[in-house]
Amino acid sequence: VGVITMVHPTPGYFTRDHLSLVQAIADQAGIAVLNARLYEESKQQARVMKALAESAAVINATLRQEDVIQRILQQMSRALGTSVVSLALLDPHQLDLVFKASTFDGDANIVGTRQDINDGVAGWVAREGRGVIIPDVQKESRFNPNFDRHGQIHTRSVAVVPIRSQGEVIGVLEAANSAADAFDSDAMMVMTGIGNLAGSAIRHAQLFEHLQAAHQRYRDLFDDSIDLILITDLNGTILEANQPAAILTGYEKRVLSGMSIKEIHSIDLKKLGSNFEQLKKGESIAYESMLIPRDSGLIQVEAHVHQILIDGRPRLQWILRDITERKNLDKMRDDLLS
């Protein structure tokens, strides 16, 4: 790990005893140096792990994609000591990067811009799937000032890492101009760790937003349907009702919730079973019956019932179609034929 050198003005002053003594001291010094290095490395790893643990707690505290991205940039900026951090996500259809956010106040113009993955450092990282530290951008051929820009600041050094989700690169994290004028191995470890956290957090946020959008589409279709639709548990207790159900039955939706399906509908027990056991087999059953409104006469309906899963729980979906007009037409036809 090093050498110890001793000098004396008198020729031949040192003896074998001196050499043995210095060697003993050197052996102890070597152990001390290694222990000190291990201690510094452990402190370094502790700093990295602390930064990643804090980042994980902060980043995963929300499922809103915009908030997730902002928290990723804030944690990256705090861990690296730089105010210039940006995040771009890969557009798999056009094979380019779309910058989603940046911490630099004068960097508003970069948000929403696109960068081809064949250009610049960020494009190289997205294409190769490897992080890179560039201490001096002026000496780097991959640095393209037309793409690797950060507003009006003068870029001196950059560090870029890929954002991965399930083994695939979905974007990049880029930091510029470290407070220490150069990014080190610690910075790369922190950025790589946050990049891995970012991939999972962003993917979860995207899936959550897609789930919310799908749920909203379902709600829109549910409420906009011209047919009466009811969701019940396996015992027939109404859990949800759409607007046509409220109109046809004369009950408000909040009143319908909690009522039994048997209170508003004549159940065909022969087809469904006394405890709906036929539906529990996964079959879809249709039959004609009567709807029992609150304040008016019976309405002839065609019922379609089957079991579905909502939030992992089995439910029964009842679609009751008003067939009064069809029945009247059938009667007119029969009368005409008679």
Side-chain angles (χ1 to χ4, degrees), residues 103-242:
T103 58
F104 183 54
D105 293 337
D107 215 16
N109 62 330
I110 198 175
V111 177
T113 61
R114 291 178 174 268
Q115 176 176 339
D116 193 291
I117 61 172
N118 294 313
D119 290 314
V121 178
W124 183 89
V125 170
R127 190 173 66 252
E128 297 294 326
R130 291 183 286 142
V132 64
I133 292 176
I134 300 176
D136 186 354
V137 298
Q138 303 301 322
K139 299 178 181 179
E140 177 57 52
S141 60
R142 288 172 293 187
F143 181 79
N144 187 337
N146 294 325
F147 296 100
D148 300 310
R149 63 188 185 280
H150 291 274
Q152 303 301 317
I153 70 168
H154 174 66
T155 304
R156 301 184 304 274
S157 60
V158 295
V160 189
V161 296
I163 300 173
R164 294 182 180 276
S165 175
Q166 298 180 342
E168 295 183 359
V169 176
I170 65 169
V172 297
L173 274 170
E174 183 172 358
N177 297 352
S178 169
D181 288 333
F183 295 101
D184 55 16
S185 58
D186 280 4
M188 180 57 69
M189 289 177 64
V190 170
M191 289 185 69
T192 301
I194 294 180
N196 292 332
L197 292 172
S200 299
I202 290 172
R203 184 64 76 197
H204 290 163
Q206 290 174 338
L207 291 174
F208 180 70
E209 290 183 357
H210 292 162
L211 181 62
Q212 282 189 315
H215 183 70
Q216 185 58 47
R217 287 194 297 270
Y218 164 76
R219 294 298 312 180
D220 292 341
L221 291 171
F222 184 74
D223 285 329
D224 293 342
S225 173
I226 62 174
D227 294 325
L228 181 156
I229 303 178
L230 299 168
I231 304 296
T232 72
D233 61 17
L234 297 183
N235 295 319
T237 302
I238 299 173
L239 304 175
E240 290 188 70
N242 66 351

